[in-house]
Amino acid sequence: RTGTLWESRYKASIIDAESYLLACYRYIELNPVRANIVHHPEDYLWSSYAVNAGLKTRKQLMPHETYLRLGTNDESRCLAYQKLVSLNLEASTVHNIRRAAAFSMPVGNSHFYNKIEQALGIKIGQAKRGRPKRGR
């Protein structure tokens, strides 16, 4: 990474909350651990892990409904989140999230892609490179 925060093009991905939101939470909050910046996600100053795990409170953070479904109360939800983050993410999930982030693509399953394609009326994914071949 070089330069300022605003140097390159902004990238964002639509996330299928039902199947990938919590995986994205885990991916983001474990990035400083994978990069050997900290030993545990709660040690990273800019992480929301401490709030989601119930170790700190911040009124500025609004929990997503998918996160809220982890438990019936704050204590059970926080314990479930701690346990969830302690599990390793599958390599394929990490790959899908990284690919989606790099190309501003949606993160989800094939049903989620189909819904987006139908709603937008376009095909999602990488097209073949180069100019289209001339019809004969």
Side-chain angles (χ1 to χ4, degrees):
R1 176 162 147 59
T2 63
T4 65
L5 177 63
W6 309 112
E7 179 179 318
S8 63
R9 182 173 171 249
Y10 173 76
K11 296 180 181 178
S13 300
I14 298 171
I15 299 171
D16 180 8
E18 294 304 315
S19 59
Y20 271 90
L21 181 75
L22 293 175
C24 289
Y25 272 33
R26 290 165 56 202
Y27 172 80
I28 291 167
E29 294 186 342
L30 289 171
N31 267 340
V33 176
R34 276 191 295 275
N36 292 317
I37 296 171
V38 295
H39 293 291
H40 196 271
E42 72 187 57
D43 299 330
Y44 190 64
L45 181 62
W46 307 108
S47 174
S48 59
Y49 174 82
V51 176
N52 291 329
L55 306 173
K56 290 182 184 175
T57 59
R58 286 211 183 105
K59 293 180 181 172
Q60 303 92 324
L61 295 182
M62 176 83 114
H64 192 276
E65 66 181 60
T66 303
Y67 168 80
L68 292 174
R69 280 187 259 148
L70 287 175
T72 56
N73 58 40
D74 285 342
E75 186 179 343
S76 64
R77 191 176 303 117
C78 292
L79 289 173
Y81 189 74
Q82 289 175 19
K83 185 175 181 178
L84 183 65
V85 172
S86 71
L87 302 172
N88 285 332
L89 277 170
E90 292 182 19
S92 62
T93 302
V94 171
H95 173 75
N96 289 342
I97 293 170
R98 285 182 177 160
R99 183 178 56 87
F103 296 104
S104 297
M105 298 296 293
V107 181
N109 57 29
S110 58
H111 176 70
F112 183 65
Y113 286 133
N114 291 338
K115 267 175 69 175
I116 293 172
E117 288 176 346
Q118 288 175 353
L120 298 177
I122 59 171
K123 188 84 172 141
I124 294 177
Q126 292 178 312
K128 291 182 181 178
R129 289 184 171 202
R131 182 181 297 173
K133 295 189 181 206
R134 280 196 274 179
R136 293 189 181 223

